[in-house]
Amino acid sequence: MADRPPQVEPAGEEPTVLVIFHSQGGNTLKMAQAVARGAQEAGARVWLKPAKEAKLDDLLRCDGLAIGTPEYFGYMAGMVKDFFDRVYEKALAERTVFRKPYVLFISAGNDGTGARLSVERICTGLKLKKVQPPLISHGPVTEETLALCEELGAALALGLKERIF
């Protein structure tokens, strides 16, 4: 993925934001990049990873999580579900994800409700803490949507930096 922002390793105690996503058509990738950009500009270290590459260690080591998925058949993408399936049991056993802040962004073909509910249900089971309302984009990604994604990433990063979450 040549379109990924560079992995930034800032000095100091900057929070680490893990942005996981799945994208086939490119909309969710654009949104993920905008979320990552917003978090970086707010001073966070960002790990941008396709869901199929994200691992338990990434989840355990990050301070906050941004989850991006397209809506497929009224559900989250299978690769995002696969990520949750791979980390679920061990993440609960580690207990280090308890109340870890997360945000959600969805590229919806329908209304996004099914994808939102399915991700939120798993995040509730993992005991993650939703810190912003989900961002649901309908249709092609617009500049307005990308600006909202940047704001979402920045809000997560700033909340972590200020220890609000």
Side-chain angles (χ1 to χ4, degrees), residues 8-71:
V8 176
E9 299 288 335
E13 301 222 6
E14 291 78 6
T16 299
V17 173
L18 172 62
V19 181
I20 67 157
F21 68 96
H22 177 72
S23 186
Q24 285 182 202
N27 283 338
T28 311
L29 171 61
K30 290 175 189 173
M31 293 173 74
Q33 290 169 329
V35 169
R37 196 167 40 252
Q40 281 180 328
E41 289 173 1
R45 175 186 334 211
V46 176
W47 300 331
L48 179 66
K49 294 200 171 199
K52 69 180 179 183
E53 294 176 14
K55 299 187 176 8
L56 174 65
D57 192 50
D58 298 319
L59 177 61
L60 298 177
R61 290 178 40 227
C62 74
D63 298 303
L65 176 67
I67 305 160
T69 185
E71 177 190 46

Side-chain angles (χ1 to χ4, degrees), residues 48-157:
L48 179 66
K49 294 200 171 199
K52 69 180 179 183
E53 294 176 14
K55 299 187 176 8
L56 174 65
D57 192 50
D58 298 319
L59 177 61
L60 298 177
R61 290 178 40 227
C62 74
D63 298 303
L65 176 67
I67 305 160
T69 185
E71 177 190 46
Y72 293 139
F73 307 108
Y75 195 70
M76 75 178 97
M79 292 309 297
V80 174
K81 175 67 166 63
D82 175 73
F83 167 75
F84 286 129
D85 288 345
R86 286 184 284 114
V87 304
Y88 191 82
E89 294 293 330
K90 290 181 181 175
L92 284 178
E94 291 283 334
R95 299 183 54 84
T96 57
V97 298
F98 181 73
R99 306 281 293 157
K100 190 169 284 204
Y102 83 93
V103 296
L104 172 62
F105 56 98
I106 299 167
S107 176
N110 294 316
D111 64 3
T113 301
R116 177 184 60 80
L117 290 173
S118 61
V119 171
E120 288 178 343
R121 189 173 298 122
I122 290 172
C123 290
T124 297
L126 276 170
K127 312 267 191 268
L128 299 175
K129 178 183 178 185
K130 180 171 59 173
V131 295
Q132 291 285 315
L135 174 59
I136 301 175
S137 171
H138 303 278
V141 174
T142 64
E143 290 302 317
E144 179 183 353
T145 299
L146 295 178
L148 292 171
C149 288
E150 286 186 19
E151 288 177 17
L152 185 67
L156 177 60

